[in-house]
Amino acid sequence: MARDRFLIAPFSTGWEKDLKPWLIPEDGFSELNNAYIQYGRITKRVGTQYTGTTQLSSRLRLLVGTTNGSGNISSGTSPLPSLTFVVGQMFSIGDELFTIAVAGSNPMLTTSLTALVYTFNTGSGAYDIQGSLPNTNVYFYPAQPVMGLAVYEQGSIGEQTAFAFDQQSIYKFVSDQWLRETSGAVSFSGNDSQFFWSANWRGISASNIILFVTNFNTADQMRYYDGSTWTNFKPKYQVAATSVINTARIIVAFKNRLVLLNTIESTNLASNVSFVNRCRYSQNGSPLATEAFYEQNQVGALGGGFIDAPTSEEIVTAEFLKDRLIVYCERSTWELAYTGNEILPFVWQKINTELGAQSTFASVPFDKAVLNVGDTGYHACNGFSVDRIDEKIQKEVFKISTDNNGPTRVCGIRDYNEQLVYWSFPSVENPSSQVFPDKFFIYNYENKTWASNDDTFTAFGYFEQQSGLTWENTVTSWLDTQTTWNEGLEQAHSRRVAAGNQQGYIVLLNGSLSANAANLQLTNMSLSGAYIVLTVINHNLRPDMYIKIVGTQGVAGLNDVYQIQSTPDVNTILVTGSFTGTYQGGGTIGRISQVYIRSKEWNPYIDKGLNIAIDQIDFQVNRTADGAITIDYALSSAENVSMVNQSQLSGAILGDNVLSTAPYPISALEQQQTRLNHAVYFQGAGQFFQMVIYLSDEQLRDIAIAESQFMLHSLILYAQPAGRLSSW
């Protein structure tokens, strides 16, 4: 019987979980992990690159001083007042690293070949390094999670200053590195779930731009930056000195006023009273004037005041929709509507009574809607109604972990270059001991498709101060980089999405790259029987994941890629292997993206009551230098039965079921093609045929294959009927 051919292209459905696999559209997928749909094709998840030219300059750090002519530096006090000192922190002096691997007053691990003394006291913060590089800057790395990213909107277009925040400090990106700010009120005391909200607005004069920030921690207050100094921001709302606004969850500039939502205030009668539904607003003009927030019955008041939303729910987040301010409470959505009346400039209007938000940093603005994450789904508010956008994956929102303030850790951002939205969140799949996000969803807002990805991003933001893509700051080969050097995304000063992680690294997301920057510090390592014990603080990784280890010094015998065997605790990873020597530091760990794609269950003959047999699929893929991927399949809704494994057990000869994305050596023309058509063969028949695309263990351990690009343009199924529909 002649075979029928079925073309599946372009891909426009993406990940779909609301229907059984056999009911999903022909181009849909029941699983789409570490890959996504874009421009009608399937592509590997976005890669990452350092914000600086090196991994050290891409990490939050502070300059503690300079070594003397003998390479010595010491201090009886800590490099950062009030900082908690723990294992995993580090000093660097040039390319020499000094890693705190043991608590107490002990020598550090060092990559130095000359240093004679290198001790640190985790109790007092006292340090002593002697004999290192002379007359060289010394940096300290607090290794705390990135709690916020902000842009100060003053200065040249494409060169506006980026700031980052961890739990205790503010950092500024300057001269290709993240350095701790030292001018003014730059110290904080928040925990690892108190993230930083920021907003730009005017100062005393309209020409002076001010960056306001808050971490909603009463002890820290709000802060503002005027271009040179950070200052506490604790405005009075009455003449009385004790009537002040201590902090607010949200700060926005709206209708020529600074608006504070969900405030904690001190009054003449009580201290630190929480007004969860309150909007505090300043007068028109400068919010820094003494009387800027005075209520209108106060002497000198010019138009400040407050209005409480008519609900007991807490205000969670807010975002602009054109000239309107949409405010989300826990289970409802409101508009803070402008009246134009100086006596009562704002009123509350309810938009939706049942759908709200649970995450302050998950709002993503569009011209026609605001996207957000609630406790019942991913929503879009158009100013008149709130509707779900996650119909295809409607149960996935319930996989956001509620442990350890999980909903507060969800963050989202729009990637204009890639036409995607990213939402990072802690999943229920991660052990409760791991508190940081371990997954992020990709939402393609052009074709309304979804995908899931594995990674840890604690905060998102925009970044303009990049120097352009170079061979020095990318880990992807020329052929596997899906771009050109004159493309806008790769040029200096283009607006990019930045992401911070739990160890203070900040990277750029880049859809043109197929590999991930190594952004976890390998603090220590030892041997235990057949295992290598890796100390990686707050690693946030799970068993069976694959990692690459690079840059280790003092040891030999390490492979590039390992599979995680177990994670005894939040700071420990066990992998199978061995090494010789003594670890001196310098190692970093990067994730290997484990592409996993499961198609729908195909049977174009089901309307005729017939089974299906498929013996070949042609794959049109982008050409790579070394890439390959495995194609498995399942039959008759038995999705957990690998037919490749079954064929090997039975002795059937089907080839290796490997799809090569590299050109065949015998084909001269393929060496020049940008896209290749390669076939994979099968032997099976059943009620349905379901394809699985993944990287095998062997492929994941080959770094050239594991970090290759994968882009699928089309499929051609070679099929024929296989008898009356029945159980197989």
Side-chain angles (χ1 to χ4, degrees):
M1 180 181 293
R3 297 181 298 176
D4 298 316
R5 294 172 175 83
F6 299 94
L7 172 66
I8 299 178
F11 300 101
S12 60
T13 298
W15 183 29
E16 187 154 0
K17 299 286 287 184
D18 61 325
L19 299 173
K20 291 296 184 182
W22 75 279
L23 291 172
I24 296 173
E26 299 302 300
D27 65 328
F29 298 88
S30 59
E31 298 291 340
L32 191 58
N33 195 46
N34 291 316
Y36 64 101
I37 305 294
Q38 188 179 50
Y39 308 126
R41 61 203 181 196
I42 303 172
T43 187
K44 189 177 179 180
R45 59 151 284 183
V46 292
T48 58
Q49 66 187 90
Y50 296 128
T51 44
T53 53
T54 68
Q55 61 100 358
L56 292 177
S57 63
S58 302
R59 196 174 186 187
L60 304 183
R61 61 185 183 178
L62 57 137
L63 179 63
V64 298
T66 304
T67 56
N68 62 20
S70 300
N72 302 339
I73 186 170
S74 62
S75 175
T77 59
S78 71
L80 184 60
S82 302
L83 181 68
T84 300
F85 298 102
V86 294
V87 170
Q89 294 167 332
M90 187 177 72
F91 290 88
S92 70
I93 304 176
D95 58 359
E96 296 182 350
L97 307 181
F98 301 84
T99 307
I100 303 168
V102 181
S105 180
N106 293 288
M108 297 180 281
L109 298 183
T110 180
T111 62
S112 174
L113 298 178
T114 59
L116 303 175
V117 176
Y118 32 90
T119 61
F120 187 88
N121 189 318
T122 55
S124 66
Y127 56 94
D128 186 9
I129 300 174
Q130 298 180 24
S132 184
L133 299 173
N135 304 313
T136 304
N137 285 342
V138 181
Y139 297 98
F140 180 75
Y141 301 80
Q144 291 188 335
V146 178
M147 302 300 293
L149 294 164
V151 174
Y152 178 50
E153 295 176 356
Q154 179 101 326
S156 303
I157 296 175
E159 188 57 36
Q160 294 179 338
T161 303
F163 286 99
F165 308 84
D166 63 16
Q167 291 174 234
Q168 293 183 288
S169 299
I170 304 173
Y171 302 83
K172 182 179 181 180
F173 191 80
V174 57
S175 300
D176 195 46
Q177 60 183 323
W178 296 95
L179 282 180
R180 183 180 186 266
E181 286 279 81
T182 58
S183 179
V186 294
S187 297
F188 296 89
S189 59
N191 61 44
D192 64 15
S193 66
Q194 291 178 314
F195 295 86
F196 283 80
W197 181 285
S198 63
N200 285 270
W201 183 228
R202 58 161 292 178
I204 297 297
S205 63
S207 61
N208 182 211
I209 301 300
I210 301 293
L211 175 63
F212 294 89
V213 300
T214 175
N215 66 348
F216 202 42
N217 180 13
T218 305
D220 288 333
Q221 307 173 33
M222 298 173 283
R223 309 286 172 88
Y224 70 84
Y225 177 74
D226 62 3
S228 60
T229 304
W230 287 91
T231 304
N232 287 327
F233 183 53
K234 193 174 182 180
K236 294 168 58 176
Y237 61 86
Q238 293 181 354
V239 174
T242 56
S243 297
V244 296
I245 309 166
N246 289 304
T247 190
R249 181 181 291 277
I250 298 160
I251 306 174
V252 293
F254 185 43
K255 295 298 182 180
N256 206 36
R257 300 170 185 265
L258 195 67
V259 174
L260 311 177
L261 299 172
N262 191 345
T263 61
I264 297 176
E265 304 173 6
S266 297
T267 69
N268 289 320
L269 300 177
S271 297
N272 296 336
V273 179
S274 179
F275 297 93
V276 299
N277 61 340
R278 175 157 294 181
C279 162
R280 275 276 178 192
Y281 52 87
S282 73
Q283 65 184 18
N284 271 298
S286 172
L288 301 182
T290 301
E291 68 283 355
F293 283 85
Y294 279 8
E295 296 171 355
Q296 294 185 17
N297 60 351
Q298 299 293 302
V299 175
L302 297 176
F306 73 94
I307 183 169
D308 293 337
T311 177
S312 60
E313 298 174 33
E314 182 174 357
I315 293 174
V316 175
T317 189
E319 189 54 81
F320 287 101
L321 178 61
K322 295 185 178 178
D323 197 33
R324 303 168 64 183
L325 183 60
I326 307 301
V327 180
Y328 292 87
C329 294
E330 299 167 80
R331 294 173 300 280
S332 58
T333 304
W334 301 73
E335 178 185 359
L336 184 64
Y338 182 63
T339 66
N341 184 337
E342 287 298 310
I343 302 300
L344 184 64
F346 302 110
V347 295
W348 291 100
Q349 296 180 352
K350 183 178 282 189
I351 297 175
N352 188 286
T353 193
E354 60 177 0
L355 299 179
Q358 61 176 345
S359 308
T360 300
F361 298 90
S363 296
V364 180
F366 284 78
D367 183 58
K368 297 181 180 179
V370 175
L371 307 189
N372 215 316
V373 181
D375 59 359
T376 59
Y378 292 78
H379 306 142
C381 176
N382 61 11
F384 303 99
S385 63
V386 181
D387 300 294
R388 295 190 67 166
I389 60 172
D390 60 346
E391 294 88 352
K392 294 180 181 180
I393 59 163
Q394 54 189 275
K395 292 186 179 180
E396 295 301 309
V397 71
F398 302 113
K399 294 184 179 179
I400 297 175
S401 174
T402 57
D403 293 334
N404 304 304
N405 298 313
T408 68
R409 300 179 188 277
V410 179
C411 58
I413 197 168
R414 180 180 180 182
D415 189 333
Y416 292 86
N417 294 299
E418 301 295 333
Q419 297 181 309
L420 303 171
V421 174
Y422 310 123
W423 277 292
S424 178
F425 65 97
S427 74
V428 294
E429 299 173 10
N430 222 24
S432 59
S433 57
Q434 298 280 4
V435 303
F436 300 105
D438 61 304
K439 296 188 77 70
F440 71 102
F441 280 164
I442 286 182
Y443 176 62
N444 185 321
Y445 53 83
E446 288 297 317
N447 58 25
K448 309 298 187 292
T449 60
W450 292 85
S452 67
N453 296 268
D454 300 312
D455 217 324
T456 294
F457 298 133
T458 57
F460 286 126
Y462 291 111
F463 184 82
E464 298 178 350
Q465 294 173 271
Q466 64 166 337
S467 301
L469 189 64
T470 67
W471 288 120
E472 188 175 14
N473 62 7
T474 180
V475 292
T476 302
S477 68
W478 169 259
L479 190 56
D480 286 323
T481 301
Q482 304 300 313
T483 186
T484 59
W485 288 118
N486 61 352
E487 191 170 308
L489 180 64
E490 314 306 342
Q491 300 303 301
H493 312 306
S494 61
R495 194 176 191 225
R496 302 281 299 282
V497 172
N501 77 353
Q502 73 275 29
Q503 289 190 357
Y505 286 91
I506 301 178
V507 297
L508 299 177
L509 275 64
N510 190 336
S512 300
L513 301 180
S514 57
N516 305 312
N519 61 352
L520 290 175
Q521 175 185 300
L522 177 50
T523 295
N524 207 348
M525 60 193 304
S526 61
L527 290 174
S528 178
Y531 297 109
I532 304 174
V533 182
L534 307 175
T535 300
V536 185
I537 306 302
N538 291 320
H539 56 75
N540 215 34
L541 298 166
R542 298 193 298 273
D544 298 329
M545 287 184 167
Y546 288 76
I547 57 174
K548 62 179 178 181
I549 301 176
V550 297
T552 57
Q553 298 192 38
V555 295
L558 288 172
N559 295 322
D560 288 332
V561 179
Y562 290 88
Q563 184 182 25
I564 297 173
Q565 300 301 313
S566 66
T567 54
D569 57 55
V570 297
N571 302 323
T572 308
I573 296 170
L574 298 185
V575 299
T576 303
S578 183
F579 63 86
T580 58
T582 301
Y583 181 60
Q584 297 172 347
T588 53
I589 288 176
R591 288 175 181 262
I592 298 296
S593 296
Q594 294 172 247
V595 174
Y596 188 86
I597 303 168
R598 182 180 288 272
S599 74
K600 71 152 293 168
E601 293 174 354
W602 288 305
N603 185 351
Y605 310 111
I606 194 169
D607 60 336
K608 299 178 177 63
L610 299 174
N611 292 302
I612 182 176
I614 291 181
D615 58 16
Q616 177 182 338
I617 298 179
D618 287 348
F619 296 83
Q620 183 182 183
V621 295
N622 264 29
R623 177 173 62 93
T624 67
D626 304 290
I629 203 160
T630 300
I631 312 296
D632 204 342
Y633 66 106
L635 298 171
S636 301
S637 73
E639 63 178 25
N640 294 323
V641 179
S642 165
M643 296 309 296
V644 169
N645 289 342
Q646 292 298 311
S647 67
Q648 292 172 346
L649 292 173
S650 66
I653 300 175
L654 295 175
D656 56 12
N657 277 76
V658 170
L659 169 64
S660 173
T661 58
Y664 293 144
I666 61 174
S667 174
L669 185 59
E670 279 199 349
Q671 311 298 322
Q672 308 302 320
Q673 293 175 217
T674 58
R675 299 187 309 279
L676 308 176
N677 280 279
H678 286 174
V680 177
Y681 299 94
F682 308 89
Q683 183 176 322
Q687 294 174 348
F688 302 100
F689 182 99
Q690 188 175 43
M691 176 186 65
V692 182
I693 303 174
Y694 66 98
L695 289 166
S696 68
D697 177 78
E698 182 180 0
Q699 290 163 344
L700 287 164
R701 293 177 186 274
D702 185 329
I703 195 68
I705 295 176
E707 294 193 336
S708 287
Q709 179 59 269
F710 175 73
M711 187 174 291
L712 177 62
H713 294 264
S714 68
L715 301 168
I716 297 179
L717 311 182
Y718 291 78
Q720 59 186 349
R724 186 174 61 85
L725 194 66
S726 61
S727 296
W728 284 67

